[in-house]
Amino acid sequence: MSIIVTVTLLIGITLWFNLTSGPKTLNVGDQAVDFKLETLEDEEVQLSELTEEKGVILNFWGTWCQPCREEMPDMNDVYTDGHEDYEIVAVNLRENEQQIEQFLSGLDADLKFPIALDRSGDVTEAYNIGPLPTTIAVNRDGIVIKKQEYQLTPEDIKTFISEATE
């Protein structure tokens, strides 16, 4: 009998630790995790400040990611058409400025939206980012309203913007 009680207790403790520790998945409907990151232009971008007035599209990317390379000019085209009620922030994952500059120089577009540098990986971890690119829409209330892993089409980008600014 004591063996059954001990085994049951150990299973219970294991389940409790597994459910209360480790990375949590950020889901649509959750409060977005606030952050402040430096941009490639040596400015600071803070999510909570942006969402005071605008919807925000967070695009997590890396220089080695071919789908990232393909979607960035599309995001730039939409962004340059006007972004009074939304902001796009491209969050780079732990790469140095030289890698990023080389990547950007190889694009057919001169990107106008901010490139934020997640040097420590804390923001990427907080948002539990897996495959790249991953894009998250946050509305003016700071709520995650849409999330998509993998490459966005121009129509997807417009949908993200529409939902973030509703």
Side-chain angles (χ1 to χ4, degrees):
M1 184 60 131
S2 65
I3 293 174
I4 294 173
V5 170
T6 303
V7 169
T8 304
L9 183 61
L10 289 174
I11 290 172
I13 291 170
T14 301
L15 286 173
W16 183 80
F17 276 114
N18 286 337
L19 294 173
T20 60
S21 63
K24 303 290 184 213
T25 301
L26 190 72
N27 296 309
V28 170
D30 290 348
Q31 184 72 36
V33 177
D34 192 22
F35 62 83
K36 184 186 290 188
L37 292 174
E38 186 178 324
T39 69
L40 200 54
E41 293 78 30
D42 293 323
E43 298 174 0
E44 284 189 342
V45 61
Q46 184 165 358
L47 182 61
S48 60
E49 288 180 5
L50 294 174
T51 58
E52 288 176 1
E53 298 180 13
K54 299 180 175 191
V56 177
I57 311 302
L58 301 173
N59 179 257
F60 292 85
W61 68 283
T63 59
W64 48 266
C65 167
Q66 185 61 34
C68 300
R69 177 178 299 279
E70 293 170 4
E71 77 179 359
M72 281 195 164
D74 292 335
M75 284 193 298
N76 195 61
D77 288 345
V78 173
Y79 188 79
T80 56
D81 283 344
H83 58 275
E84 294 77 27
D85 54 351
Y86 73 92
E87 187 64 63
I88 293 175
V89 178
V91 181
N92 178 267
L93 282 62
R94 299 183 189 158
E95 295 180 291
N96 66 49
E97 286 84 350
Q98 182 180 0
Q99 290 170 299
I100 296 168
E101 291 290 352
Q102 187 175 13
F103 172 89
L104 295 175
S105 69
L107 293 178
D108 292 333
D110 180 24
L111 302 183
K112 301 300 182 191
F113 48 83
I115 306 292
L117 308 173
D118 187 13
R119 291 183 176 108
S120 68
D122 290 344
V123 175
T124 303
E125 185 177 320
Y127 279 86
N128 198 26
I129 301 301
L132 296 180
T134 293
T135 306
I136 296 173
V138 180
N139 69 13
R140 291 180 185 113
D141 296 323
I143 304 297
V144 174
I145 54 163
K146 189 169 183 68
K147 180 177 181 179
Q148 180 175 322
E149 297 174 340
Y150 308 111
Q151 185 175 344
L152 299 178
T153 66
E155 294 77 27
D156 292 334
I157 297 165
K158 291 174 184 171
T159 300
F160 264 80
I161 292 166
S162 174
E163 292 186 23
T165 56
E166 286 181 348

